[in-house]
Amino acid sequence: MRADRVFVYGATAGLVVDRLVGDPRRGHPVAAFGRAAGAVERLLWRDHRGLGALHTAVCAGGAVAVGALASRAVRRSPAASVALTAAATWAVIGGTTLGREARLVGDALGRGDVEAARTRLPHLCGRDPQSLDEQQIARAVVESVAENTSDAVVGALVWGAVAGVPGLVGFRAVNTLDAMVGHKSPRHRRYGWASARLDDVAGWPGARLTAALAAVAGPDPRGAVRAWRADAAKHPSPNAGPVEASFAGALGVRLGGTLSYGGRVEHRPVLNGAGRPVEFGDIGRAVRLSRRIGVLTLATCAGARLAWGAMRGRRT
């Protein structure tokens, strides 16, 4: 079986499994990778960019190597190759769990239970929840759904289409490393520099595809494109900017503003300033948009992979 068909069948099966059962509750491969990366950090850590780059190379390169070796081991069996791709897709895709956690916060806000929403919010993002009111919690959830649609779904499928199982696991490894050491804490400002920059590079195509599909699938395509063009560059993240701006325009809401991470206050630029403040009902709208984007991403990546395989077949 051609590699393009292996990806299409396997990625489709993996996305279906994710929709049906979500992330495994125990023994998640990404959690195992995180523990291994943490052990490498404890061994290598110094306040030094070079050692941080070595940490990134060892962890991300190791994940890609494991994916490549596994793919090579099953390459003679089409069924095993599809199964491996499906398992890898399921392991790295987090769309269903993302939506579930977002809805739990939204449900708490809908009941007027702000404390329950604050308690649940750390399952979704790293912001300090105690100082947030209802509107700020809802905004944090919508922003997290937007950004994680790119990180946990679209980016992985894009790299899976490009490089198969090594691309799937490599992208998720890079994204996980950025979450672990790529933030600007005193400990990781220098050590995590390489992980943060690599994540910016790896996430670039997925973020632009996410923003484009938010415009296609959202209720206000013109608003999504307008906000993307006007406000994306204002965001400090080169990848979160297009995604959050496009979601804001598509949903007709205003994102950005003051937020707090680990006691550090940031003043983010406002995205789609003409939109209205986020309400708890917008969480469900954002989740539905995220799910539509996931399906469209699979269709886009599958179509592109099949077209590329057909072109290569004609050349040979």
Side-chain angles (χ1 to χ4, degrees):
M1 184 184 295
R2 290 187 339 206
D4 53 344
R5 294 178 181 175
V6 168
F7 168 75
V8 171
Y9 298 154
T12 301
L15 194 63
V16 169
V17 173
D18 176 68
R19 287 292 173 89
L20 293 175
V21 302
D23 288 339
R25 296 185 181 277
R26 294 184 178 180
H28 199 300
V30 175
F33 171 81
R35 290 192 293 271
V40 174
E41 180 185 356
R42 289 191 293 273
L43 180 65
L44 292 179
W45 187 87
R46 299 290 186 279
D47 188 19
H48 190 275
R49 282 188 175 185
L51 288 173
L54 178 61
H55 172 237
T56 303
V58 168
C59 295
V64 171
V66 168
L69 289 172
S71 296
R72 184 178 178 84
V74 300
R75 70 185 187 280
R76 296 185 184 278
S77 170
S81 296
V82 169
L84 176 64
T85 303
T89 301
W90 177 41
V92 304
I93 293 291
T96 295
T97 298
L98 170 65
R100 181 186 300 143
E101 292 294 337
R103 288 184 186 278
L104 286 171
V105 178
D107 290 345
L109 292 177
R111 297 191 305 270
D113 192 345
V114 178
E115 282 304 316
R118 288 183 180 131
T119 300
R120 199 73 201 181
L121 186 64
H123 290 83
L124 192 65
C125 64
R127 299 186 192 182
D128 300 329
Q130 294 308 313
S131 62
L132 301 182
D133 60 22
E134 177 180 336
Q135 190 276 325
Q136 291 170 324
I137 293 171
R139 174 169 64 85
V141 174
V142 171
E143 289 172 352
S144 295
V145 169
E147 186 173 1
N148 284 295
T149 298
S150 177
D151 289 343
V153 181
V154 179
L157 289 174
V158 167
W159 282 103
V162 171
V165 171
L168 287 164
V169 299
F171 175 80
R172 190 59 189 270
V174 169
N175 191 246
T176 303
L177 287 173
D178 179 60
M180 294 179 67
V181 303
H183 46 85
K184 295 181 180 179
S185 67
R187 176 180 174 86
H188 294 129
R189 188 176 301 274
R190 289 166 59 84
Y191 187 84
W193 178 86
S195 291
R197 297 291 77 78
L198 183 59
D199 183 68
D200 288 343
V201 172
W204 195 96
R208 273 73 193 168
L209 180 58
T210 304
L213 293 179
V216 171
D220 186 356
R222 290 184 179 179
V225 173
R226 183 169 55 248
W228 180 6
R229 294 180 62 183
D231 298 331
K234 300 175 184 178
H235 198 287
S237 167
N239 294 330
V243 172
E244 291 184 17
S246 188
F247 261 71
L251 298 173
V253 299
R254 185 167 62 247
L255 299 179
T258 302
L259 50 84
S260 176
Y261 286 100
R264 186 182 75 255
V265 176
E266 294 185 18
H267 300 284
R268 296 275 178 88
V270 173
L271 307 177
N272 192 39
R276 57 174 173 77
V278 181
E279 302 171 352
F280 75 86
D282 294 313
I283 292 174
R285 298 173 64 223
V287 170
R288 290 191 293 272
L289 177 56
S290 175
R291 289 172 66 90
R292 291 195 294 269
I293 289 172
V295 174
L296 289 174
T297 299
L298 178 62
T300 301
C301 291
R305 192 70 179 86
L306 289 171
W308 176 250
M311 288 175 58
R312 291 189 64 185
R314 284 196 298 268
R315 289 175 183 173
T316 57

